[in-house]
Amino acid sequence: MSAASTPAESTAVNTADLYDERGEELASISLQFQSLGGRSHFSGQARTIRCFQDNALVKSTLATPGNGNVLVVDGGGSLGTALMGDMIAESAVANGWAGVVINGAIRDREAIAGLDLGVKALGSNPRKSAKAGAGEVDVDLVIDGVTIRTGATIWCDPDGILVER
């Protein structure tokens, strides 16, 4: 184990190995998400949000007990505003979330990189999002042709993202 590894990472499942074992039982998201959190390998049951340039539902959901789950946010691929910053990410850590996958942007990426939280996002933008609460929670998402349902297991590491079919 390297000095940068956490105990959770030393027992983490690598997505390439998992795909070799389970193959077509898993869907692979080919969209090139960046690994931006302090935890490089993370997995758990998915919770889902669909929203566009409005992070109120992301904030309120990550403020609830995460129980080791992974929040998957479909922001429509928009990089126009950030859907999560350091304060929301700190709330996710405090509430026991394993990670967050955002089909969109985050901000405060240096601070988030120091947190014990897995974060995958398309990129970053310092611009704040709206806070109106527009969007849907616990709905089926389709990202890069892959359906993600609340309760499905998702695995993330620097190689990519796998989702239980």
Side-chain angles (χ1 to χ4, degrees):
M1 178 166 54
S2 73
S5 294
T6 66
E9 288 175 348
S10 65
T11 59
V13 174
N14 291 314
T15 57
D17 295 338
L18 184 62
Y19 192 85
D20 288 349
E21 287 175 24
R22 297 187 51 192
E24 293 307 310
E25 295 173 18
L26 306 171
S28 176
I29 297 176
S30 61
L31 194 60
Q32 296 297 294
F33 282 84
Q34 297 179 39
S35 292
L36 300 171
R39 186 184 293 182
S40 66
H41 293 68
F42 61 102
S43 62
Q45 287 190 324
R47 291 280 313 277
T48 64
I49 292 176
R50 179 182 299 115
C51 59
F52 185 76
Q53 295 186 358
D54 184 323
N55 75 348
L57 292 174
V58 175
K59 180 179 181 179
S60 64
T61 300
L62 291 174
T64 65
N67 303 313
N69 291 332
V70 175
L71 182 63
V72 181
V73 181
D74 186 359
S78 173
L79 298 175
T81 65
L83 292 176
M84 184 176 75
D86 61 344
M87 292 171 54
I88 295 173
E90 288 169 1
S91 174
V93 172
N95 286 297
W97 290 85
V100 182
V101 175
I102 298 179
N103 184 21
I106 67 164
R107 63 190 226 157
D108 303 313
R109 65 192 290 163
E110 287 184 342
I112 289 173
L115 297 176
D116 185 21
L117 182 70
V119 178
K120 292 278 214 179
L122 297 181
S124 60
N125 186 333
R127 184 175 177 210
K128 290 183 180 183
S129 70
K131 314 270 185 248
E136 302 170 278
V137 179
D138 292 328
V139 294
D140 288 358
L141 304 178
V142 178
I143 298 175
D144 190 41
V146 173
T147 300
I148 303 152
R149 293 177 177 85
T150 289
T153 303
I154 185 168
W155 296 265
C156 305
D157 71 5
D159 278 344
I161 301 169
L162 294 176
V163 180
E164 185 176 56
R165 290 187 193 265

